[in-house]
Amino acid sequence: MSWNSTVTCSWCYKTGHNRRGCPDRRAYIANNPNSYEAIRQKADKESQASRKCTYCLRRGGHNRRTCPVLQSDRAFLQQRLSEARPSALQTLHEAGFGIGALVVDQYWDRLIMVTSISWEGIDCVGINGHDNDQIVFRGRQVGGPHARSAKECSASVPLRDLASTVLSATSKSGLKPPAGWADGTSFDESRWFDKKSSRDYFFREENHFSS
Ligand SMILES: [Zn+2]
Ligand SMILES: [Zn+2]
């Protein structure tokens, strides 16, 4: 629906605005505060104000798109990522982790050659404690009881003891994070702000937002 050409007002039948934005209707309501139309508008406004935001679950007349909590959480996440990721990168460098490195995946008992790094999925902001920070990547299984040599797989290894999981190091040239990674502007949107989910536990615990 195009604003200026096809909207027709169901109150005055002029084009260019709808019933909600109608100046004639507004004037009528102001002059007739006890009319059906005035009562109807009041009910509309109340139901709008009592609607729950799907992100913060508060009732306050805002929605997910305009949610102040979501805006605060975005800024908070970016700040935390920008603090955590450069030091994670330093750890990767020191361990010799990168494309071509041979890595032991202790959890699945397999040996993997790294083929690509899933930068967006590397958060390192200490969800449930920094021990759980994971380096996420793709690679080929080259050893272990379940190895299927040609098969590419997704894998992750804990950042905590990265040095002991890298068997054969790679050169530093295999480690180039994309723009937006180190400064925290690029992250997995569906992981942090999934449209179907309300505010993540991480933010409720860590970002003490007050409006
Ligand atoms: Zn109108
Ligand atoms: Zn909200």
Side-chain angles (χ1 to χ4, degrees), residues 18-204:
N18 61 19
R19 184 188 191 90
R20 205 181 273 265
C22 180
D24 286 4
R25 178 172 172 260
R26 207 173 294 142
Y28 174 84
I29 287 169
N31 294 328
N32 302 276
N34 296 316
S35 66
Y36 169 75
E37 201 61 22
I39 292 159
R40 182 178 158 175
Q41 192 202 37
K42 198 165 166 255
D44 270 3
K45 275 193 174 151
E46 274 164 10
S47 86
Q48 222 178 338
S50 69
R51 209 168 290 163
K52 234 191 221 173
C53 167
T54 61
Y55 185 75
C56 70
L57 307 179
R58 290 181 196 179
R59 297 178 195 278
H62 74 261
N63 58 28
R64 190 182 188 99
R65 197 171 45 81
T66 56
C67 179
V69 184
L70 176 57
Q71 281 158 24
S72 166
D73 285 348
R74 278 189 175 282
F76 178 79
L77 177 64
Q78 189 185 328
Q79 175 64 31
R80 287 285 290 266
L81 291 173
S82 72
E83 288 163 9
R85 281 171 165 176
S87 77
L89 185 63
Q90 185 60 32
T91 307
L92 293 177
H93 272 308
E94 284 163 7
F97 185 97
I99 291 163
L102 275 180
V103 175
V104 183
D105 180 355
Q106 276 156 353
Y107 189 81
W108 293 104
D109 193 16
R110 57 187 181 177
L111 188 59
I112 299 170
M113 194 192 77
V114 179
T115 53
S116 65
I117 297 166
S118 310
W119 293 103
E120 268 203 345
I122 300 175
D123 305 318
C124 298
V125 291
I127 302 150
N128 304 319
H130 286 283
D131 277 3
N132 287 322
D133 285 345
Q134 298 284 316
I135 299 304
V136 196
F137 61 98
R138 291 187 67 77
R140 287 185 200 290
Q141 296 183 38
V142 293
H146 311 294
R148 279 162 288 177
S149 61
K151 199 168 186 244
E152 192 169 83
C153 57
S154 284
S156 63
V157 289
L159 181 69
R160 162 174 43 95
D161 45 19
L162 195 67
S164 66
T165 67
V166 178
L167 276 195
S168 166
T170 185
S171 70
K172 287 183 182 183
S173 59
L175 257 191
K176 281 202 187 72
W181 187 80
D183 67 12
T185 50
S186 115
F187 51 80
D188 182 355
E189 184 75 24
S190 65
R191 153 75 185 90
W192 292 102
F193 302 108
D194 181 4
K195 286 205 165 57
K196 293 189 204 73
S197 308
S198 60
R199 195 182 190 204
D200 193 278
Y201 178 79
F202 171 76
F203 296 116
R204 281 187 277 137

